[in-house]
Amino acid sequence: MALTYSAGSLVTARGREWVVLPESEPDLLVLRPLGGSDDDIAAVFPAFETVRGAEFAPPAPGDLGDQRAAGLLRTALRVGFRSGAGPFRSLAGIAVEPRAYQLVPLLMALRQKTVRMLISDDVGIGKTVEAGLIASELLAQGEATGLAVLCSPALAEQWQQELRTKFGIDAELVLSSTVSRLERGLDLGQSLFDKYPHVIVSTDFIKSTRHRDDFVRHCPDLVIVDEAHTCVTSDDTKVSTQNQLRHELLRRVAEDAERHLLLVTATPHSGKESAFRNLLGLVKPELARVDLDSEKGRKLLAQHFVARKRADVRQYLTKEDGLADDSLAERTAFPSDRYFKDETYKLSPEYRALLDDAIAYASERVEEADGQGRREARIAWWSAIALLRSMVSSPRAAAQTLRTRSAAAVAASAEEADRLGAPLTSDSADSDALEGMDVAPGAETEENAGSRLAELAQRAKALEGPAQDLKLKALIKHLKALLADGYNPIVFCRYIPTAEYLAEHLANDPETKKRGPLGAKTVVRAVTGTLSPQQRIDRIEELAAEAGEDAAARRVLIATDCLSEGVNLQHHFDAVLHYDLAWNPTRHDQREGRVDRYGQKRDEVRVITLYGDDNGIDGKVLEVLIKKHRQIKKDLGISVSVPDEMSTGVTDAIVEWLLLRGRQGQQEALFESDSFQQSFADLEQDWNSAADREKASRSRFAQRSIHPEEVAREVTAVREALGGAGEIDTFVRESLNALGAVLRDSGDSGGDFTAQVGGTPVGLRDALAPVVGAETVERDRPIAFRSSPAVGRGEAALVRTDPVVGALASHVLSAALDTQADGARPARRCGVVTTDAVTTRTTLLLVRYRFHLTLPSRNGEKQVVAEDARLLAFEGAPRNAVWLPQQRAVELLDAQATENTAAASGERTMTRILDQLGEVTPYLESYGDELAAELDASHRRVRTASGEIVRGLSVTAQKPADILGTYVYLPATASVPAGVSA
């Protein structure tokens, strides 16, 4: 009959040692390798394979390490933990080290039985990480069994990548392009959302009535909604069908009071109080009605809403936050500011003549259509805007528009003309359907205008190149200046033909050996809506790879607004040049936010806005909309959206004035016209009101439900269990040095360095190859190690969750446990050090504890085995041990050898200590019980507001604990007081 092994016990099978997991049955053992990760879990049938109980072997007294051995082994062990015993079950297993401020939404979530949150931190602070932390924690605790992320299709693959690489959550993409393939694999009557527990779903695909009902019926119990503000509207605004469908989808998802719901947006207000209320109503219905000026209302909102500016978190856990000192202070390296510069250009005489003729044509069409009916007037209006916008964009966009039929021309009514014409010519701040919006719009609306438009198109084509296109000439000048200053810019355009035109004139052509105007070492690429979302990311990575690590190489990305939302580009680019002005300034803020965010290495991000001084449009848009937006952001520290209808009213007035001038010659100045003054007054009033509301709400609704002291307490506990950044830095440097790597400091003040691992043991090289790339290892290329957790592809972060650090720690730990391992072994399980850091013989123990946790949740109890590593130290002999405080034990890791210790003497000393270690077992067990009690209290503290969740919680220590390492510190001769024997 097979033996029964309890969860947490050690067994030997298949030539190695394993920990028995709670999922085991008497006839089937579920095992995790000792020191291994969840990826290595295996199932073993004791009836068919040899399984026997295992005791953790004591260290070999002759296998002595040096003064670094204890610290390296301790860190290697802790880095390998993938199942923390503390209240944050997921933190040990995710591949990102969250900033302390990013723990605030997680702490808020864990105090709710059903998590309902609106996360509205500013652009670039890390809302995706905050939502991912909550999701991974709820899944790890068993509070949620499945996850759905609703987002724009353009961001779906980025969400998939973030969840997989940072949180270990494999989610299936449910998009219009993937659903047919996924449905072919379903059983009869099975739903997609039953087969795939974790999904990332296109909001616009799933909102249709055909797909919505199936999704709502089988929706997972945890839903994240990205850009949630696009799913609600204000009560006094005309609602589009698309918004109605999105709102109805979310309303039905939120109806289930047991479903966890995380709404994520940087712009919860969008300029309208009622839109904000409607958003809050999805989180909790009473929030849509409660008086937020009352103390009761603010307290209720504070439980579910977090919205912080960069200034709130740039320095966190400091004395200014109410803490006693700055020992836990965390400084996050956001760029300090954006440097704005508005640069002008003038049209060449030929381009001026073409624009005047185009305005004259558009004016005639609008005037003629005004007498034909409202439908014809709206078609002509959208055609005129399309023509004007493409004309000031580029000659190629102008030619494309002049040859293309207007999308609005097929409209059967004025309303349909607006629906077809507006998306291609306006820049709505709330549109999450950017796909397809960068095509050049058409201007042709009638058959008999073909020859006239063709003639204009031919003239536009002839203006290509910097000789006649002075806007392109100005761009080249400003790009050269940015590149000379070491910047790598993104140039944003409105239309695909413009982006392709710029790339053609700026890039070097290796086939024809033609050299572009920006230099031989400048790599230029264009990314537009002609590429799929994944192809866009691939092209950006290709651009970065082609530019390489050469300090003289530069990158220039030409992009349309398909990249203005969601895609993070701060690792490769650090400047933005607006080649085409957006007619809603929020779009500019979104463009700039791609590089001005956490992880940007530049302290100053440069922004250049190029505008036409004499084209009649750009200067007015810049003066009225964009500069006003900048000023409000400067005053408040956050972006406030201009209401779409107000922005459109101003731009309409500008176009009307321009067309009127085209018909009647130079008339009154724009700023004196009645229509413009009225539109601008309405805009000014609405925008100022929105800014005042935003300022008041940031003050009224500042995050107060979690005090920094509470965050500091949990950060301290996490760092004690898992290690901090300084420990990892020391571990990586000392381990790589000992293993034969070549390290070089980067020369900056940030502590970054590179390592070449060609000379390290083959086992380490094999472990690193899948992480950094086989070619990097084989060709002995430098691997960059960064002190910032926000790193680019191919770089390693000096945090415990980085895959490179994990591979190194796994190698160091395996080598320490295997005395027969080939090559250098930086960590050892025992050591004898003679030092002046002690005055009497002191023994340091590295002890691994295993804990059984019973974690109750609304889905039933979950049994978990978790690990912890502690340093314990005592003076004297084990039988009469005088135990030292925990801090003193940690300090011994820094003790330096001041005298050599003879190998034979060290082995004799270690043998005596190891033979007597059984005497300390009672203390180790009582200390384990103390740790279990502390963990129990910690779990209850974090869930203090969820009484039902903590009932049934229990934490017990597995006995005996494993003594992984034993290190003896002998006092140096000069350190021994007279009459005292060592």
Side-chain angles (χ1 to χ4, degrees):
M1 181 178 176
L3 293 173
T4 300
Y5 299 99
S6 63
S9 58
L10 289 179
V11 297
T12 299
R14 300 178 183 177
R16 65 189 303 185
E17 294 181 324
W18 308 75
V19 177
V20 179
L21 298 183
E23 295 83 357
S24 299
E25 300 289 342
D27 58 346
L28 174 66
L29 295 180
V30 181
L31 308 174
R32 184 179 65 229
L34 194 61
S37 69
D38 288 348
D39 294 335
D40 303 316
I41 287 175
V44 173
F45 291 93
F48 303 106
E49 297 186 59
T50 302
V51 180
R52 67 177 189 274
E55 294 294 333
F56 196 73
D63 188 33
L64 297 176
D66 60 17
Q67 60 199 18
R68 304 167 304 173
L72 294 180
L73 183 58
R74 175 199 187 215
T75 304
L77 180 66
R78 301 207 297 182
V79 168
F81 289 161
R82 289 295 177 264
S83 180
F88 305 113
R89 295 281 306 130
S90 63
L91 288 191
I94 61 176
V96 61
E97 185 166 296
R99 313 299 288 169
Y101 68 80
Q102 291 175 327
L103 294 177
V104 170
L106 176 59
L107 285 166
M108 293 171 65
L110 292 180
R111 294 185 175 185
Q112 303 176 31
K113 181 181 179 184
T114 300
V115 178
R116 292 295 179 102
M117 294 278 295
L118 175 56
I119 302 174
S120 297
D121 284 341
D122 199 8
V123 173
I125 281 181
K127 295 182 294 298
T128 302
V129 169
E130 291 170 346
L133 282 172
I134 296 172
S136 61
E137 190 64 32
L138 293 177
L139 292 168
Q141 291 182 8
E143 291 291 332
T145 57
L147 166 67
V149 176
L150 300 180
C151 65
S152 157
L155 303 181
E157 287 173 343
Q158 180 167 310
W159 265 100
Q160 184 185 46
Q161 178 82 356
E162 291 276 304
L163 291 177
R164 178 186 295 134
T165 59
K166 291 183 177 177
F167 301 101
I169 300 172
D170 282 315
E172 197 69 44
L173 294 178
V174 181
L175 314 171
S176 58
S177 58
T178 65
V179 71
S180 297
R181 172 181 58 82
L182 296 175
E183 287 177 339
R184 284 197 294 271
L186 298 178
D187 296 332
L188 186 64
Q190 186 180 29
S191 168
L192 268 178
F193 309 105
D194 285 335
K195 179 164 185 174
Y196 302 104
H198 308 318
V199 290
I200 296 166
V201 187
S202 161
T203 309
D204 280 334
F205 167 75
I206 209 68
K207 73 178 185 293
S208 67
T209 52
R210 177 188 166 201
H211 303 291
R212 180 186 67 203
D213 294 342
D214 179 54
F215 176 70
V216 171
R217 277 196 304 272
H218 303 277
C219 183
D221 49 5
L222 168 58
V223 176
I224 298 173
V225 183
D226 194 18
E227 302 296 341
H229 64 277
T230 66
C231 300
V232 295
T233 57
S234 60
D235 298 336
D236 57 350
T237 302
K238 184 179 178 181
V239 181
S240 71
T241 304
Q242 303 304 310
N243 275 92
Q244 285 178 329
L245 290 172
R246 284 194 290 266
H247 185 260
E248 177 62 16
L249 168 67
L250 251 66
R251 186 190 64 77
R252 293 184 59 181
V253 167
E255 272 182 349
D256 185 348
E258 297 296 309
R259 178 170 289 123
H260 303 296
L261 182 63
L262 305 177
L263 304 183
V264 179
T265 174
T267 52
H269 283 80
S270 297
K272 295 289 185 179
E273 178 71 16
S274 57
F276 178 52
R277 287 290 193 157
N278 291 337
L279 199 58
L280 292 177
L282 294 172
V283 176
K284 202 173 182 68
E286 51 263 47
L287 284 173
R289 303 180 298 272
V290 72
D291 179 9
L292 296 179
D293 288 322
S294 68
E295 185 66 21
K296 179 181 178 182
R298 287 197 294 271
K299 281 186 177 180
L300 178 62
L301 179 61
Q303 297 172 28
H304 303 276
F305 179 51
V306 57
R308 295 166 296 180
K309 301 181 292 185
R310 291 186 186 187
D312 299 328
V313 299
R314 194 184 298 276
Q315 297 191 55
Y316 191 55
L317 299 186
T318 66
K319 287 194 286 187
E320 292 182 5
D321 294 313
L323 273 64
D325 55 45
D326 288 338
S327 60
L328 291 175
E330 187 175 76
R331 290 165 179 82
T332 303
F334 296 112
S336 62
D337 204 356
R338 298 179 195 175
Y339 173 78
F340 291 102
K341 194 170 185 183
D342 302 324
E343 298 286 1
T344 187
Y345 68 91
K346 288 186 181 291
L347 298 172
S348 65
E350 293 81 2
Y351 212 131
R352 172 80 263 170
L354 174 65
L355 180 60
D356 287 343
D357 289 347
I359 291 173
Y361 165 77
S363 299
E364 292 170 16
R365 280 290 303 122
V366 170
E367 186 174 26
E368 181 183 334
D370 279 345
Q372 295 175 347
R374 189 161 175 268
R375 168 188 168 274
E376 289 74 11
R378 297 309 294 168
I379 291 173
W381 173 256
W382 293 119
S383 172
I385 291 181
L387 181 55
L388 293 174
R389 294 206 69 177
S390 61
M391 273 284 175
V392 299
S393 178
S394 72
R396 190 166 297 180
Q400 179 75 34
T401 293
L402 288 162
R403 293 193 186 102
T404 305
R405 186 163 175 77
S406 170
V410 299
S413 65
E415 290 72 23
E416 187 179 5
D418 289 344
R419 183 172 59 82
L420 294 173
L424 289 176
T425 52
S426 61
D427 298 309
S428 171
D430 286 346
S431 174
D432 67 338
L434 286 173
E435 295 304 300
M437 293 300 105
D438 54 358
V439 298
E444 186 178 323
T445 61
E446 54 184 0
E447 298 296 333
N448 58 8
S451 60
R452 187 173 177 185
L453 293 181
E455 184 265 333
L456 291 173
Q458 194 64 34
R459 288 169 60 188
K461 183 174 176 55
L463 295 175
E464 289 192 4
Q468 298 292 341
D469 183 4
L470 300 186
K471 183 181 182 184
L472 173 60
K473 184 177 180 180
L475 172 68
I476 294 171
K477 170 189 168 185
H478 297 306
L479 285 179
K480 283 182 175 180
L482 284 172
L483 297 172
D485 288 342
Y487 281 84
N488 296 287
I490 305 176
V491 179
F492 275 105
C493 313
R494 181 63 176 84
Y495 299 118
I496 293 171
T498 300
E500 293 175 344
Y501 163 70
L502 295 184
E504 185 180 305
H505 281 273
L506 296 176
N508 299 306
D509 189 342
E511 291 185 9
T512 64
K513 303 282 173 75
K514 171 188 163 243
R515 181 171 169 178
L518 302 180
K521 291 194 173 183
T522 298
V523 184
V524 180
R525 291 289 183 275
V527 172
T528 69
T530 58
L531 302 176
S532 71
Q534 187 56 46
Q535 288 173 325
R536 297 167 199 168
I537 301 299
D538 292 343
R539 181 164 293 184
I540 292 166
E541 294 297 337
E542 288 166 10
L543 165 59
E546 188 172 340
E549 297 298 322
D550 187 346
R554 292 290 178 267
R555 300 178 289 272
V556 175
L557 176 64
I558 314 294
T560 62
D561 283 319
C562 70
L563 287 185
S564 68
E565 283 192 306
V567 182
N568 300 333
L569 302 172
Q570 70 272 28
H571 299 303
H572 299 313
F573 304 96
D574 44 26
V576 169
L577 195 151
H578 300 289
Y579 191 72
D580 292 332
L581 297 187
W583 283 12
N584 190 310
T586 302
R587 180 70 66 214
H588 279 224
D589 201 44
Q590 290 164 341
R591 292 171 175 178
E592 294 155 14
R594 298 311 94 218
V595 299
D596 184 6
R597 57 196 305 110
Y598 173 56
Q600 173 58 254
K601 294 180 176 66
R602 288 265 186 190
D603 186 55
E604 180 182 85
V605 168
R606 289 194 184 176
V607 178
I608 294 178
T609 304
L610 198 59
Y611 71 99
D613 187 49
D614 58 350
N615 64 27
I617 297 177
D618 283 356
K620 313 301 186 295
V621 171
L622 179 71
E623 186 68 31
V624 176
L625 294 176
I626 294 171
K627 287 187 176 179
K628 170 78 173 176
H629 182 264
R630 284 183 200 158
Q631 188 59 47
I632 290 178
K633 181 164 186 175
K634 184 178 180 181
D635 292 343
L636 292 186
I638 52 167
S639 178
V640 177
S641 299
V642 54
D644 278 337
E645 62 275 18
M646 294 295 105
S647 174
T648 302
V650 169
T651 52
D652 283 356
I654 294 172
V655 173
E656 284 177 3
W657 170 80
L658 198 62
L659 295 177
L660 180 66
R661 191 180 70 171
R663 289 199 298 269
Q664 301 176 6
Q666 185 67 43
Q667 299 290 324
E668 61 182 338
L670 167 67
F671 296 105
E672 295 174 2
S673 68
D674 292 340
S675 63
F676 177 83
Q677 286 189 344
Q678 184 59 52
S679 297
F680 182 69
D682 293 342
L683 170 75
E684 186 87 357
Q685 181 178 346
D686 266 44
W687 210 349
N688 286 337
S689 296
D692 290 342
R693 284 194 302 272
E694 185 68 21
K695 187 174 182 179
S697 70
R698 291 277 166 166
S699 173
R700 282 188 301 163
F701 311 142
Q703 196 293 118
R704 295 190 182 96
S705 63
I706 304 293
H707 192 274
E709 284 185 357
E710 299 174 68
V711 181
R713 184 168 51 206
E714 305 309 330
V715 167
T716 300
V718 168
R719 289 180 183 173
E720 283 181 359
L722 303 179
E727 178 185 337
I728 299 299
D729 184 287
T730 301
F731 169 77
V732 172
R733 287 177 182 269
E734 292 189 350
S735 295
L736 288 175
N737 268 319
L739 288 166
V742 178
L743 274 62
R744 293 185 178 89
D745 285 327
S746 62
D748 59 24
S749 58
D752 296 350
F753 62 92
T754 63
Q756 292 173 260
V757 297
T760 62
V762 65
L764 177 61
R765 298 201 305 273
D766 289 345
L768 290 176
V771 181
V772 299
E775 191 174 358
T776 298
V777 175
E778 289 168 6
R779 299 194 177 187
D780 200 16
R781 291 175 177 165
I783 301 169
F785 287 86
R786 308 293 188 198
S787 56
S788 168
V791 295
R793 184 173 296 184
E795 299 178 335
L798 290 168
V799 296
R800 64 176 301 280
T801 51
D802 185 271
V804 176
V805 175
L808 176 62
S810 178
H811 177 82
V812 170
L813 179 59
S814 297
L817 298 176
D818 182 4
T819 57
Q820 305 303 314
D822 295 330
R825 298 170 57 229
R828 304 290 178 91
R829 293 188 59 196
C830 54
V832 179
V833 180
T834 303
T835 176
D836 57 10
V838 298
T839 57
T840 187
R841 187 180 69 195
T842 304
T843 303
L844 178 68
L845 303 178
L846 175 58
V847 184
R848 171 168 47 199
Y849 286 97
R850 293 192 297 279
F851 298 97
H852 296 268
L853 287 84
T854 301
L855 300 176
S857 73
R858 63 184 192 175
N859 294 318
E861 288 186 351
K862 187 172 183 179
Q863 302 293 326
V864 176
V865 173
E867 297 172 297
D868 195 1
R870 293 293 169 137
L871 290 169
L872 301 175
F874 63 87
E875 294 178 343
R879 183 187 300 274
N880 302 308
V882 177
W883 293 94
L884 302 179
Q886 178 72 26
Q887 184 59 37
R888 175 62 179 146
V890 174
E891 288 171 357
L892 287 173
L893 294 178
D894 297 324
Q896 299 293 312
T898 53
E899 293 181 17
N900 292 328
T901 305
S905 172
E907 187 171 342
R908 286 195 303 271
T909 299
M910 182 56 61
T911 300
R912 286 198 303 271
I913 292 294
L914 292 177
D915 288 344
Q916 301 174 46
L917 271 187
E919 303 287 348
V920 302
T921 298
Y923 180 85
L924 298 186
E925 291 186 351
S926 66
Y927 188 79
D929 291 337
E930 290 178 17
L931 289 178
E934 290 175 9
L935 288 169
D936 184 282
S938 180
H939 279 268
R940 295 177 187 277
R941 182 176 66 244
V942 167
R943 291 160 180 78
T944 183
S946 301
E948 293 181 29
I949 294 178
V950 298
R951 280 201 290 270
L953 172 75
S954 68
V955 184
T956 57
Q958 171 84 21
K959 297 173 183 177
D962 301 324
I963 299 179
L964 204 68
T966 305
Y967 308 91
V968 179
Y969 295 84
L970 301 176
T973 306
S975 302
V976 182
V980 178
S981 173

